[in-house]
Structures are given as structure tokens and as C-alpha cells.
Amino acid sequence: MRDHAASIENASRAAAAATPHPFADPAVEATFRLDRLAEDRRLAATLIVIGTIIVGLLTVVDRALMAVQPGLYWLLPVRVATVFLGVAAAWLAARARRPATLDTVTFCWALLLSAVALAVGPTRPRGYQLNFAFEAIIVTANWALLPNTLRRQAAAGLAHTGAALVVGALWRDLTNPAVPALGLAFLSANLVGWFTSTRLHLARRREYLERRRLGEALAEVRTLRGLIPICASCKSIRNEAGEWRRLEEYLSRHTDATLTHGLCDPCARRLYPEDDPARAPEAGRQA
């Protein structure tokens, strides 16, 4: 139990020192990612489906533009292809069996949205600014919600920010009074996303270490509650290796208790009858 207590203490220290970044031990990091895989798959599939629906709904805006500028007919195939890829990405995310596979799917989907934003941006009027609010929301979602490593979350958020800035610099009216506010919106989106992402990564790792510590403790409790072979004569206990150990030694190694010795009343009277107050009057009469 001392070794077990030491492992629990080490896990507690690791939880206190946990960081948003991957665990130093690759084996612990791999176990952590597998532990979260089911939840991350559901989240990734949900986010991709929501993004796909929004991309599909933006076709309404594209059709209005195509009515004015017939040369923008290519927008419709782009939207259809994006929706198709979104459905495929959601399916792959929901069926991912490894965290690395899920990471790749979600990261590629995030980069696809950045590419679509960069491709569609020039088709909007120079005074059109509404899309930037939507892009800032996507930046925050890439940071804080995208199930992935912190580095890839950052890469996805910054990639979408870069795409929006390129569109704004090349195809928007920079004299518009709303431009400084839009720049502040993107800066805020990245800062809020970074802060939220780091806090979530840290909280999830601490929660994982705490659950692992409690799981080890419960497993040890279940072991002590099982059948324990004990000698009917000397009360020694047979351990997992088949060795017979004194009861005191076994309990010391398998629990956190520190044993101390004493005598129960029956044994005290049997071993030291002269100190038994109940027999003192009888001893006086015999004398």
C-alpha cells in the first residue's frame, strides 16, 4: 500500500503541476486523449454539422449576388462542395478510432473554412462588413471548441484570422469607420479564444489525473474487500505472490493504517492473572 500511496501522491502532484500542454509522459498523454475520445468525437461532429448548415444557408446570399453579377456562378459549386466535404468530415469525426485521426479531420475542416472565406471574400461589395463578425465567431470557436491540441487550435484560429485580414486589406474599403472596430473584434476573438482554450486544457488534464487517482484508490479498496486467505492458526495472510505474511505486515502494506499493539481484556486476564482485580479477593482468602 505504501507504493500505492506513493503513486497517488505523485498523481496529486502531477495534477497540481498540470499544464494546458501535453503531459511530459507520452503514455499518460495517450491515455488521456483516449479517455476523452468519445466526448471529443461528439463535439467535433456537432461543430462540423453546424458549420456545414451555415455554409449551406449562405447560398442564399450567393444567389442574390449571382443575380447582379452573373460571373459569380462558380460560388454555387464551391458551396455544394463545401457542404459535401462537411458531411464527410462529420462522418469521419463521429467514427474516428484514434485521437490523431480526429485531430486531422477537425484541423482540415477548420482550414477548409479559412480557404472558403478567402475565396468568397472578394465576391462581396467593398463596403460589406457583416461577414467579419461571423469570421470572428469562427476564430473563437477554433480556439475554444475545436477538439484538438492547443497548437492546432491556435493554428486554426490564426489561419482564419489571416484569411479575414487578407480579405479586408485587399477587397474591402479601409476608410470605413467600422474597420478599427473589426480589428479589435478579431484581436478580442483570439485573446478570448486563447484564454478559454488554455483554461479548458488545464481543467481537463487536472480532472483526468484526479479521476485516475480516485480510480486507483477505489481499486485498492475493492481488493481489500475481497477474499483474503488467512491461516486459521497463526492468522498469517497469504499475499498475491503466495507468501505467508504476518497480519500486521499485510495490513501495513495494503492500507494507510499504522498498527500499534495492546492486549484485550480476556488475553490480559489469561496472561497476567495476578493483575486481575476480579480475582484479587479470592487470592486473599486462599492466602
Side-chain angles (χ1 to χ4, degrees), residues 229 237-245 249-250 253-254:
I237 294 179
R238 189 176 66 216
N239 61 19
E240 297 81 359
E243 302 169 336
W244 289 95
R245 300 295 183 184
E249 180 184 351
Y250 184 85
R253 296 178 69 88
H254 289 77

Side-chain angles (χ1 to χ4, degrees), residues 32-47 93-94 99 102-103 106 145-148 204:
F32 165 72
R33 292 302 308 278
L34 286 174
D35 183 72
R36 290 198 51 83
L37 182 58
E39 182 178 348
D40 285 346
R41 284 187 306 193
R42 289 192 295 269
L43 177 59
T46 301
L47 290 175
L102 182 63
D103 291 349
T106 55
L145 297 178
L146 187 71
N148 216 313
R204 287 167 180 168

Side-chain angles (χ1 to χ4, degrees), residues 40 67 98-99 111 131 157 165 167 182 218 221 242 254-255 258 277 279:
D40 285 346
R98 297 188 305 139
L111 293 183
N131 66 304
L165 292 178
V167 170
L182 292 173
L218 289 175
V221 169
H254 289 77
T255 69
T258 300
R279 299 186 60 180

Side-chain angles (χ1 to χ4, degrees), residues 13-273:
R13 290 177 179 175
T19 70
H21 305 286
F23 290 111
D25 187 347
V28 177
E29 177 66 17
T31 306
F32 165 72
R33 292 302 308 278
L34 286 174
D35 183 72
R36 290 198 51 83
L37 182 58
E39 182 178 348
D40 285 346
R41 284 187 306 193
R42 289 192 295 269
L43 177 59
T46 301
L47 290 175
I48 294 174
V49 168
I50 292 174
T52 301
I53 292 174
I54 293 175
V55 169
L57 293 176
L58 289 175
T59 306
V60 177
V61 180
D62 295 338
R63 289 179 62 85
L65 287 174
M66 284 186 286
V68 180
Q69 304 181 53
L72 299 180
Y73 63 88
W74 56 269
L75 282 175
L76 186 58
V78 168
R79 296 294 187 190
V80 172
T82 305
V83 169
F84 174 79
L85 291 174
V87 172
W91 183 83
L92 290 173
R95 296 178 60 87
R97 294 292 179 266
R98 297 188 305 139
T101 302
L102 182 63
D103 291 349
T104 301
V105 171
T106 55
F107 186 63
C108 289
W109 167 251
L111 293 183
L112 174 63
L113 289 184
S114 300
V116 171
L118 190 59
V120 175
T123 66
R124 276 23 180 185
R126 291 190 64 85
Y128 187 77
Q129 304 289 342
L130 294 178
N131 66 304
F132 289 118
F134 177 66
E135 308 296 349
I137 294 175
I138 295 179
V139 169
T140 305
N142 283 337
W143 272 100
L145 297 178
L146 187 71
N148 216 313
T149 63
L150 182 60
R151 289 183 178 180
R152 285 194 173 184
Q153 287 177 327
L158 294 176
H160 211 90
T161 300
L165 292 178
V166 169
V167 170
L170 298 180
W171 294 289
R172 292 294 183 273
D173 183 9
L174 297 181
T175 62
N176 193 308
V179 170
L182 292 173
L184 182 60
F186 277 101
L187 177 61
S188 300
N190 280 281
L191 290 177
V192 171
W194 168 80
F195 179 79
T196 305
S197 179
T198 53
R199 293 302 93 189
L200 284 175
H201 277 281
L202 179 61
R204 287 167 180 168
R205 279 168 168 76
R206 285 182 172 173
E207 178 191 12
Y208 167 74
L209 290 174
E210 184 66 18
R211 284 192 289 107
R212 192 170 75 161
R213 183 186 71 83
L214 293 176
E216 291 176 354
L218 289 175
E220 186 64 24
V221 169
R222 285 193 294 269
T223 299
L224 292 179
R225 291 179 61 185
L227 295 176
I228 301 176
I230 185 170
C231 176
S233 177
C234 67
K235 308 305 179 186
S236 295
I237 294 179
R238 189 176 66 216
N239 61 19
E240 297 81 359
E243 302 169 336
W244 289 95
R245 300 295 183 184
R246 294 176 57 193
L247 176 62
E248 297 93 332
E249 180 184 351
Y250 184 85
L251 291 178
S252 296
R253 296 178 69 88
H254 289 77
T255 69
D256 291 328
T258 300
L259 301 180
T260 182
H261 292 81
L263 287 174
C264 64
D265 291 341
C267 288
R269 288 194 293 268
R270 177 172 58 83
L271 295 174
Y272 304 102

